[in-house]
């Protein structure tokens, strides 16, 4: 099925498109110490230490590693990921009532007991701090970094404004800071490039941040879609053992995602699939 189109100029531009990435690395799965950005909080007395989220070993020449899907040996597991997009300049639109959140989707995932990874922009966390804290303190979920501004890290990228090279690391650090200030604790050292667009230069620049870049192998097509059945069909047609699905958590630009998820989850469970967060998929 044709991928449901990306629309230029919106906060979700290119996020659900598989064709935006360049310079991709087939990084060997490995583990490095948790990134400096992973949350640090001591376990209570007598409680077992929390498992550190896995990361991949650096790619060739020390580039930021890229993770696209789990291994087939992982069996029938699938990770649903949701981009909580909001660009740095969309505050006025939110003030006028545009809804960049999707609490109904999060409630549905909770009711269905579906673990998920939310890739959150710093601007979204600032706009919806209570929701970010709720997501980031629920063990069902984990929050990963989707930049602060949702601007592209290489150009062209679906019409997105482009981050200057010397500001790329600040985009990552500022987003982690905004997310943590909400009180979110389940924050993992993973980063998703806005639009899925990157090149060797951006991978090299972000290497010092010690994050693993996370892409996907299944495009849901939910960005700007109006047909939930078509979105669900596209996901169900694409999922294979170890798949990583990209979807969105933004009502104004992905209005049918919750309805599509309501179809996808029971059907994949009927097929024998188990849902996991990216950290578990990466752990293998």
């Amino acid at each position: 099925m044709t991928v449901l189109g990306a629309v230029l100029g919106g906060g979700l531009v290119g996020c659900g498109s598989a064709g935006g990435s360049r310079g991709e690395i087939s990084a060997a799965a490995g583990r490095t110490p948790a990134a400096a950005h992973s949350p640090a909080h001591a376990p209570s007395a007598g409680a077992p230490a929390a498992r550190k989220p896995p990361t991949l070993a650096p790619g060739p020449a020390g580039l930021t590693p890229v993770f696209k899907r789990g291994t087939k040996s992982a069996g029938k597991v699938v990770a649903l990921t949701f981009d909580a997009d909001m660009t740095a300049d969309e505050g006025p639109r939110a003030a006028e009532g545009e809804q960049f959140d999707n609490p109904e989707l999060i409630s549905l995932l909770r009711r269905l007991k579906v673990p998920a990874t939310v890739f959150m922009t710093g601007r979204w966390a600032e706009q919806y701090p209570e929701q970010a804290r709720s997501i980031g303190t629920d063990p069902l979920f984990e929050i990963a970094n989707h930049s602060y501004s949702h601007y592209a890290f290489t150009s062209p990228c679906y019409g997105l404004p482009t981050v200057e090279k010397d500001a790329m690391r600040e985009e990552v650090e500022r987003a982690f800071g905004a997310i943590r200030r909400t009180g979110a604790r389940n924050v993992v050292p993973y980063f998703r490039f806005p639009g899925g667009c990157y090149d060797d230069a951006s991978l090299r620049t972000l290497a010092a941040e010690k994050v693993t870049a996370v892409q996907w192998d299944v495009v849901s097509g939910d960005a700007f879609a109006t047909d939930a059945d078509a979105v669900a069909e596209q996901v169900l047609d694409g999922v294979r053992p170890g798949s990583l699905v990209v979807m969105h958590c933004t009502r104004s630009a992905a209005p049918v995602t919750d309805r599509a998820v309501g179809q996808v989850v029971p059907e994949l469970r009927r097929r024998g699939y188990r849902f996991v967060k990216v950290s578990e998929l990466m752990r293998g």
Side-chain angles (χ1 to χ4, degrees), residues 224-247:
F224 308 103
T226 57
D227 187 341
D229 293 343
V231 173
E233 183 179 348
Q234 186 155 306
V235 172
L236 293 170
D237 285 349
V239 165
R240 299 292 182 272
S243 277
L244 201 159
V245 183
V246 59
M247 305 184 85

Side-chain angles (χ1 to χ4, degrees), residues 25-274:
I25 294 173
S26 178
R31 295 191 177 94
T32 60
H37 296 301
S38 63
H41 48 278
S44 58
R51 297 179 73 184
K52 292 182 178 179
T55 56
L56 297 187
L63 299 184
T64 297
V66 180
F67 181 70
K68 302 178 191 175
R69 55 166 294 125
T71 62
K72 292 182 179 179
S73 62
K76 282 194 167 184
V77 296
V78 58
L80 298 185
T81 69
F82 299 89
D83 291 356
D85 292 339
M86 188 172 181
T87 64
D89 56 0
E90 288 177 334
R93 288 166 56 182
E96 292 174 0
E98 186 167 349
Q99 297 165 320
F100 295 93
D101 61 341
N102 194 339
E104 290 85 357
L105 170 63
I106 299 301
S107 294
L108 175 65
L109 294 171
R110 284 174 168 145
R111 289 198 304 274
L112 296 176
K113 296 181 172 56
V114 178
T117 304
V118 178
F119 286 83
M120 190 177 293
T121 67
R123 186 64 187 85
W124 194 99
E126 291 176 346
Q127 186 69 35
Y128 305 106
E130 292 184 4
Q131 291 187 53
R133 180 172 59 254
S134 176
I135 294 168
T137 54
D138 186 335
L140 195 64
F141 305 123
E142 62 190 11
I143 297 179
N145 192 314
H146 197 30
S147 82
Y148 178 82
S149 299
H150 199 259
Y151 291 170
F153 280 58
T154 187
S155 183
C157 185
Y158 307 102
L160 286 172
T162 305
V163 177
E164 295 296 330
K165 181 179 178 181
D166 59 5
M168 290 181 181
R169 290 185 60 189
E170 181 183 0
E171 276 281 311
V172 176
E173 293 167 1
R174 190 179 180 190
F176 274 124
I179 292 165
R180 288 212 178 85
R181 281 192 296 274
T182 69
R185 296 191 301 271
N186 306 329
V187 184
V188 289
Y190 308 146
F191 176 74
R192 175 165 285 165
F193 286 97
C197 304
Y198 64 92
D199 56 14
D200 281 357
S202 54
L203 292 174
R204 187 174 300 109
T205 299
L206 293 188
E209 297 301 309
K210 306 297 184 185
V211 293
T212 294
V214 176
Q215 294 287 95
W216 54 81
D217 68 307
V218 178
V219 178
S220 69
D222 67 335
F224 308 103
T226 57
D227 187 341
D229 293 343
V231 173
E233 183 179 348
Q234 186 155 306
V235 172
L236 293 170
D237 285 349
V239 165
R240 299 292 182 272
S243 277
L244 201 159
V245 183
V246 59
M247 305 184 85
H248 295 88
C249 184
T250 309
R251 272 181 288 179
S252 63
V256 301
T257 303
D258 55 339
R259 283 182 279 156
V261 167
Q263 297 180 49
V264 165
V265 168
E267 176 58 24
L268 285 179
R269 282 178 169 158
R270 188 190 67 79
R271 297 179 186 182
Y273 279 89
R274 178 171 62 90

